[in-house]
Amino acid sequence: MSITQTVYAYNAFGLNIWSEVHLPELPSGKFGEDSIDIWIKKGSLPETWVQREDRSRVVVDGDSVIFESQKNAFFRITKGREITVVPFEGVDERKIRLYLLGSCMGILLMQRKVMPLHGSAIEINGKAYAFVGHSGAGKSTLAAAFIQKGYKLLSDDVIPVRLSKERVPIAYPSYPHQKLWEESLVGFGINSSGYQSLFERETKYAVPVKESFYDKPIPLGGVFELAKGNTSKIRFKKIGTLEKFRVLLQHTYRDFLIDRLKLAEWHFKHSMEVGKRTPIFELRRPSEGFTAPELVDEILKVIQEEEKA
């Protein structure tokens, strides 16, 4: 394989990555060309595709998934091994990185038959606990509250979950960054002026957590599905076997692609294996007020009770 320009070596999401795009958020890696899991390249797409009228739509084209990100760049993810980036002229590199580390990586993991849960994960007593939920549920804020208490982040946004040879669900670390809204920073008493805002989201910030990052794969200890409203206090409900599949499906990153990638059977079997070995809880909290620190204490009690059972 010929290398015609500078490439960067990283290790993230349980993968060895060589990239022609500089990704400062990712931990550096040291490995040879024969150990590369995925390539991120700058390239081009067929002119016939670029001229499509519906090119803003996510397209499954054989072994590839192609999409355009809000007139910032085209991305092509192929066979779980390669991501091609076609940047628009003058685009801010932060926009490229945001999509590479989010949508592209989630799609690539699915192509590799690795479940990409959409949420945040924290290491607690040698196990990973995932917080999933719809946009605005408070996943990253809750993870940040755990970090404030001395716990370590395993992943924010995309959580890779593989099955070991013994069929044990294993969560893999992504990279040591969080994305937090300004109101969350205010709740923690943190001044946002020291952080860089995400593109076109002036009140959401990239927050490095290098010193509070857990960089090894560990068993998935549990999943908490976050929801808010319809309650005046924090409530937990342990979810039954059939409902677990709904939670894992609904909170798989870019779940709408599962059928289009012909992965429905794989995803069902993978979810059943995860569900058999992993307790899943619904966590409902009041819609008003900053409850993250209180949630940490309540979740730790639930985990402790679960370990005793």
Side-chain angles (χ1 to χ4, degrees):
M1 183 182 299
S2 62
I3 301 173
T4 59
Q5 65 178 76
T6 301
V7 294
Y8 305 89
Y10 303 108
N11 187 273
F13 304 96
L15 299 168
N16 291 332
I17 302 167
W18 270 19
S19 176
E20 294 176 1
V21 179
H22 183 38
L23 302 168
E25 297 88 349
L26 299 189
S28 297
K30 292 183 179 180
F31 48 88
E33 191 172 327
D34 57 345
S35 299
I36 300 170
D37 292 312
I38 67 170
W39 260 97
I40 299 174
K41 300 179 179 180
K42 294 179 181 178
S44 60
L45 296 177
E47 190 64 26
T48 53
W49 195 89
V50 174
Q51 292 176 352
R52 292 172 63 115
E53 292 183 2
D54 62 344
R55 69 187 193 188
S56 61
R57 184 169 61 88
V58 176
V59 174
V60 177
D61 181 17
D63 294 324
S64 297
V65 176
I66 308 170
F67 70 93
E68 177 191 342
S69 65
Q70 301 178 1
K71 298 184 178 180
N72 300 313
F74 294 111
F75 297 92
R76 182 173 188 166
I77 306 98
T78 304
K79 295 183 179 180
R81 294 190 57 83
E82 185 174 295
I83 300 173
T84 301
V85 186
V86 188
F88 286 23
E89 187 175 352
V91 67
D92 186 336
E93 284 191 1
R94 287 178 298 169
K95 299 179 182 181
I96 303 294
R97 302 202 305 266
L98 192 65
Y99 282 95
L100 280 175
L101 300 179
S103 293
C104 290
M105 199 56 63
I107 293 167
L108 181 137
L109 289 168
M110 250 198 288
Q111 289 176 334
R112 297 178 72 92
K113 294 186 177 180
V114 176
M115 178 181 282
L117 285 180
H118 188 191
S120 298
I122 290 289
E123 182 270 333
I124 302 172
N125 299 331
K127 293 182 179 180
Y129 289 86
F131 310 125
V132 301
H134 296 299
S135 178
K139 305 179 289 293
S140 294
T141 301
L142 179 55
F146 270 94
I147 292 171
Q148 292 272 312
K149 290 285 185 80
Y151 294 90
K152 292 192 174 184
L153 179 77
L154 193 77
S155 186
D156 187 66
D157 197 30
V158 180
I159 310 166
V161 178
R162 293 177 171 87
L163 295 175
S164 70
K165 291 181 180 178
E166 295 77 23
R167 314 304 286 170
V168 175
I170 305 294
Y172 281 73
S174 59
Y175 58 98
H177 267 69
Q178 279 199 294
K179 303 179 187 73
L180 292 173
W181 292 102
E182 186 170 27
E183 63 190 66
S184 297
L185 294 176
V186 170
F188 292 121
I190 299 172
N191 190 333
S192 63
S193 63
Y195 301 107
Q196 191 173 50
S197 65
L198 300 176
F199 80 96
E200 296 169 3
R201 299 180 185 179
E202 294 82 0
T203 61
K204 196 170 190 180
Y205 297 86
V207 180
V209 291
K210 187 174 181 180
E211 301 304 318
S212 299
F213 182 61
Y214 196 87
D215 63 356
K216 297 176 178 63
I218 47 177
L220 182 64
V223 177
F224 291 85
E225 183 185 32
L226 309 185
K228 58 183 179 181
N230 300 323
T231 183
S232 59
K233 60 181 182 180
I234 298 168
R235 297 180 182 276
F236 291 89
K237 182 179 76 173
K238 194 170 185 178
I239 290 174
T241 302
L242 293 178
E243 185 70 0
K244 286 180 177 182
F245 176 73
R246 191 273 307 166
V247 172
L248 295 171
L249 174 62
Q250 197 169 71
H251 300 295
T252 292
Y253 205 95
R254 302 299 181 254
D255 64 295
F256 67 90
L257 283 170
I258 293 172
D259 285 337
R260 293 169 63 184
L261 291 172
K262 299 179 181 179
L263 291 173
E265 182 179 356
W266 160 76
H267 189 274
F268 178 79
K269 291 179 178 179
H270 197 288
S271 296
M272 289 297 100
E273 293 288 343
V274 173
K276 280 193 295 187
R277 295 165 172 78
T278 309
I280 299 181
F281 301 87
E282 179 191 90
L283 190 169
R284 189 167 292 276
R285 63 179 177 87
S287 57
E288 301 296 329
F290 187 72
T291 58
E294 184 181 356
L295 286 174
V296 170
D297 295 334
E298 295 301 319
I299 289 171
L300 290 174
K301 290 178 185 177
V302 170
I303 292 173
Q304 188 175 39
E305 292 171 3
E306 187 67 25
E307 289 177 344
K308 289 179 181 179

